[in-house]
Structures are given as C-alpha cells and as structure tokens.
Amino acid sequence: MERYDVVVIGSGPGGYVAALRAAQLGKSVALIEKYPTLGGTCLNVGCIPSKALLDSSEKFYEVQHHLKEHGISLNGCTLDWGQMQARKNAVVRQTVSGLNYLMKKQRVAVYHGVGRFRSANEVAIEGGPVLYGQHIIIATGSKPATLEGVPIDKQRIITSTEALSLSEVPKRLLIVGGGVIGVEMASIFGRLGSKLVLVEYLDRLLPGMDAEAAEEVRQLLVSAYGAEIYLGHVLQEAQVKGSVVEARVASRKGDKTLTLEADYVLVAVGRRPYTEGLELEKVGLATDARGRIPVNPHLQTAIPHIYAIGDVVAGPMLAHKASEDGLFVAESIAGRKPHLDYRLVPSVVYIWPEVAGVGYTEEELQKEGRPYRVGKFPYRALGRARAAQEVRGFVKVLSDAQTDRLLGLHIVGARAADLIALGVAGLAYGASAEDLFRLPLAHPTFSEAIKEAALAASEGAPLHL
Ligand code: FAD
Ligand code: NAD
C-alpha cells in the first residue's frame, strides 16, 4: 500500500490547491480524480469555459453594437460558432494541462479513478491501488441540481455543462433560474442572438447579491438582449417533443400558468454537493439534509484527520472559496495557524458590465438591525467611464453608522470583477469608508468611483456629483 501524508479526493479548485500547497509545505501528497483531466467543475465545465464564451460573445456583441459610436465601421460581422467553441475548448485544454505541469513540479502523485473509503485512513482507487493517508481531504465538489417533472435528457433539456458545448446557438432558449449561471448564460446566448425567456422563482434575480445591482442586471438583460423575464414563476413541467421542448410555467402563487415553447431548456436552479461513490458510510460519516458533509470551523469532519472542503461543505459554492478552504486545510495539516473568513469572499457575475460584491448586503444589515450608511456613485459621472463609453452602473459603499467601518462594497460596472479586490482588502484590514476615500487612486480610472462612494458613505456626499 502506498503511504502519503495527505490524500486528496477530487481535483477541482479545492482539491488541487490543497494538494499543491500541502506539497509546497513539505508533505507527501496524492491527488485522486475520477475524470481523465484535472481541474474539476471549474476548469472543465464551469468558470473557465463559461468565461471564454462570455468574453467571445461580448466581443461579437460589442463589434455589432458599440463600435459605431467610437467612429469605427465594419462591413458586416458574422458568427463562427464552431471557432468560438474551438477556442473555448483550447483554453480549457491549455488550463487543465497546466495543472499536470504544476503537479509534477510539486511532486504530487496523481491517480485517476473513483476514490472510495476503505477505512478511516485508506482510500481505494477503482481499478487502481489502495492509498494510505495520514490525513485525507474530501474535495468532491458538486453537480447541477434538478427539478421534479423536468427530466434532464442532456439533448434538449440541459444543464450548464451541455449549454457550454451546444452544437448550435439556440434560436429560442428557456432558462430556469435567474442565479449566476442563468444570468451568465443569458448574456452569452442573448449576445449571439437567441430569443431568451428566463423564469425565476424569486421576485428578483441574483439572490444574495445587492438588490439594486440585481435590478440593473434585469434591466440590462431586457434592454440589451430583449429577454422576456418572469420573476416569481416556476417551471412545472417540460416535455421534449421532437426538436422542441414544451414547458409549463406557473406563477409562484399559482394564479397564472403559461405554456412556452423553446429549442432548449436550461435548468440552472443551483448545485448540490456530490458524495456519490465515496462510501462515506464505511467510515461512519454522513451528510446533512442538504447533502453536505458537516465540518467544524477547522474544516474537520467527525473524524478529525478527514477534512472536507469546497462545494461539498457549507458556504458559497465558488471556486475561490474552495481554494481558500484548500489552502486553510493544507496549512493546518502543515502545522500553520491559517485564518478563514467567508465574509471576505467576493461574488462576481462575469456579464458586461460586470457585477461584484463583498461583505454585507443592505438586506443582510437590515435583517440584523445594524445601522449603516450608504454611499453611492454612478459610473456616468466618471471621466474614465465616459472616455471608454462604459457609463452603465454604480458603486455602493456600506459602512457602520457609528464607527464608519467598511461593511460592504457592491459594484455594477466595467471591471467590477477586479475593482472588488479593493473592498476585499478594505474589509480584511478593518478599513473605514474614510480610509477608502483617502487612498490616492489613479486618474482617470474606474476605481475613482469607489473613492467617491466611500466619501459619500463617510460624509454624506461625493465630490464630483
Ligand atoms: P469541483 O470543482 O466540483 O471538483 C470536484 C472534483 O472531484 C471533480 O473533478 C470530480 O470529478 C471529483 N470527484 C468527485 N467524486 C470523486 C471520487 N469519489 N473520486 C475521485 N474524484 C472525485 N465559481 C467561481 O468562483 N467563479 C466562476 O466564474 C464560476 N463559474 C462557474 C460556471 C459554471 C457553469 C459552473 C457550473 C460553476 C461555476 N463556478 C464558478 C463554481 C465553481 O466551479 C465551483 O464552486 C468549484 O468548481 C468548486 O470546487 P470544488 O473543488 O469544491 O469542486
Ligand atoms: P444559484 O443558486 O446562483 O441560482 C439558482 C436560482 O434558481 C436562484 O435564483 C433560485 O431562486 C432559482 N430557482 C430555484 N428553483 C427554481 C425553480 N423551481 N424555478 C425557477 N427558479 C428556481 O445557482 P446557479 O446559478 O445554478 O449556480 C450554481 C452555483 O455555481 C452557485 O453557487 C454559483 O455561485 C456558482 N457559479 C458561480 C459563478 C460565478 O462566480 N461567476 C458562475 C456560475 C456559477
């Protein structure tokens, strides 16, 4: 039996980062992945391919709709969907093969096959050896959630995995779920000309993010891509009839129903933790009612040397959260004293303009009854935004009403995904809104909107408005 200090099951951004970090800190490490490529959901069928298609489709849309105002005219513009897919696939291939290099570099032993518990220190690899791990990290991730009455046939009724590799751009696409996947997919296919219908159970899009930002996104999907959006509605049933799908949609209150037809129905109603095949019961571990593996604040399961991280445990289902979990556990095993605070984990929606948030939302503060101040600044008042013709959006700074301590930063606007890092740093180091205002930020940049919104939160008004 091969023996390792650390055996990691699952090679997504949780597992592979844990493996690399543990190896970097001197541990002998094995990484088990059931698929032929490393990288998990994120690199193979999630973050990376979706961002590749988001970037390509945004270029297509921009050429058609935004170049004229810059004084650039083109004679026609056509879509080569095959090439767009090929580029996306090449980006994925390059990214996952980069992981093979990193594993070799850090001397992580990689095994392919389903990993199953044989005892609290042994993991059997299907068709391979049994590994002994002094510490074991479960990083088996998640799979798309499904809906009753809506059987996923992967041809016409699909999940995000199939949506990223469709053989054609749908003429009519019905998206169920207005969360991050629903909104990102709506942007990809809306830009490429699909007629979009989006059905969301709640009365808003993007639950968990700033409500005003979510409303801005709703308006954008309607105005830019002509999306038909049904908030407060659910998909009750969907049936494939030849090459179309017939769907019955009902209002949440049950007082309205409508029948819709689409070429494809994309079900994007969340993801569920994945533990099938692990045989947790062999070691006496169980999942909670939502399928997650319960862990303590050190990410230890009920068996202290078995840890669980990423989408398979509680917390936001995000790649960078999974990676932070992985770093935390690897460093703990190596005897360090790392720190983990999910309040510092930013959320980003990679549409254009981007949406990003970190810290508390207004809704959360209201729920807690915590007095706060709001400072807002619109992109249209920024010189950089006007120069770039990127005037849509705003920055919102939330700070404690008594102490001025930064509580949250929310941005809809160009480059929000990168700007949010300022909020992460501010929250991590206990900055006040005034501290953010006093940063000497370059002019002209989009970051100046944060400075202005911070001044508005701190003193009641921005300077350039
Ligand atoms: P996963 O990435 O799911 O990896 C788990 C791995 O474990 C898989 O490779 C699986 O095959 C393997 N495995 C499972 N069971 C076993 C077993 N018994 N033996 C061996 N191997 C096993 N997040 C972001 O932060 N930013 C984004 O832009 C983003 N975009 C996304 C877009 C889409 C379309 C989707 C679906 C998700 C996106 N996410 C994004 C979410 C992100 O992909 C996940 O949060 C992240 O991948 C979770 O990482 P993980 O390591 O916990 O699990
Ligand atoms: P989500 O939880 O973000 O959104 C699911 C949406 O579906 C919610 O708005 C919910 O109210 C709605 N819903 C649930 N049941 C419904 C029903 N029966 N009818 C209509 N609507 C219904 O989940 P997702 O968009 O599927 O994404 C899955 C995970 O992947 C999320 O945790 C997300 O954070 C992650 N992800 C992240 C990114 C990113 O960081 N940019 C991108 C894609 C996915």
Side-chain angles (χ1 to χ4, degrees), residues 10 14 33-35 40-42 46-47 51 115 140-141 311 317-320:
E33 170 54 54
K34 70 175 189 168
Y35 287 130
T41 305
C42 178
C47 328
K51 265 75 263 180
T140 48
D311 279 10
M317 284 182 161
L318 294 171
H320 45 286

Side-chain angles (χ1 to χ4, degrees), residues 310-333:
D311 279 10
V312 81
V313 302
M317 284 182 161
L318 294 171
H320 45 286
K321 179 269 187 186
S323 297
E324 290 305 316
D325 284 354
L327 291 174
F328 178 88
V329 167
E331 293 188 7
S332 303
I333 289 171

Side-chain angles (χ1 to χ4, degrees), residues 410-425:
H410 303 278
I411 310 173
V412 190
R415 302 186 196 168
D418 295 290
L419 291 176
I420 202 67
L422 210 51
V424 176

Side-chain angles (χ1 to χ4, degrees), residues 41 46-47 50-51 54 142-148 150 160 175-185 198-207 230 232-236 250 267-272 311 315-320 346-351 355:
T41 305
C47 328
S50 63
K51 265 75 263 180
L54 277 158
S142 63
K143 290 279 179 211
T146 51
L147 290 175
E148 230 174 89
V150 187
S160 57
I175 300 176
V176 190
V180 195
I181 292 184
V183 164
E184 289 189 350
M185 292 291 177
L198 197 154
V199 176
E200 163 58 44
Y201 173 80
L202 298 174
D203 295 321
R204 53 163 295 176
L205 299 177
L206 298 173
Y230 293 93
H233 280 69
V234 289
L235 178 68
Q236 286 190 320
V267 177
V269 294
R271 292 178 65 84
R272 58 176 175 81
D311 279 10
M317 284 182 161
L318 294 171
H320 45 286
S347 295
V348 176
V349 190
Y350 296 85
I351 58 173
V355 188

